[in-house]
Amino acid sequence: MFGLDGTLVQVDWEKKGEEDIDVLLTLDDGQVKPAYLCLRPYEMTFLKKMSKQFEIIIFSDRSRAQTEAIMEVLDPCRDLVKTRLCKDNFV
């Protein structure tokens, strides 16, 4: 089990580097705002290797919409992470 926020990705509201990935996130009030994802080095290699041997579960303190938007960038086909937990699961 891995934490999405701060462990797998850093989400910023301002672009910090050229390698940052643009994503649109829906805030709790329904407003859609551009955000930028910074992935850890070799993160995708790690997830690909680990997913062959283990079931990877991620959790996030973000809403389901935000979690899914971020995971759409990391794992659009749902090949790597089968279970995605977010704050909406626990409300």
Side-chain angles (χ1 to χ4, degrees):
M1 183 179 291
F2 296 101
L4 181 63
D5 309 299
T7 303
L8 295 179
V9 297
Q10 179 66 39
V11 179
D12 288 305
W13 300 111
E14 296 179 13
K15 193 164 189 144
K16 304 274 179 161
E18 289 184 27
E19 65 281 349
D20 289 356
I21 301 167
D22 299 15
V23 65
L24 292 175
L25 297 182
T26 304
L27 305 180
D28 290 338
D29 64 3
Q31 178 184 5
V32 177
K33 187 173 180 182
Y36 304 93
L37 305 179
C38 180
L39 305 182
R40 290 198 177 270
Y42 304 104
E43 174 179 337
M44 297 310 298
T45 301
F46 173 78
L47 289 175
K48 287 175 185 174
K49 286 184 178 183
M50 290 297 105
S51 69
K52 291 178 182 174
Q53 297 181 8
F54 304 100
E55 178 182 356
I56 298 175
I57 300 169
I58 64 98
F59 64 92
S60 174
D61 62 351
R62 296 180 179 279
S63 68
R64 176 173 301 286
Q66 288 183 21
T67 301
E68 291 300 328
I70 294 167
M71 289 306 299
E72 184 66 25
V73 172
L74 296 178
D75 186 20
C77 297
R78 290 177 142 333
D79 294 335
L80 307 176
V81 179
K82 303 290 189 242
T83 305
R84 304 167 179 189
L85 302 175
C86 57
K87 74 176 185 178
D88 298 346
N89 295 104
F90 304 106
V91 176

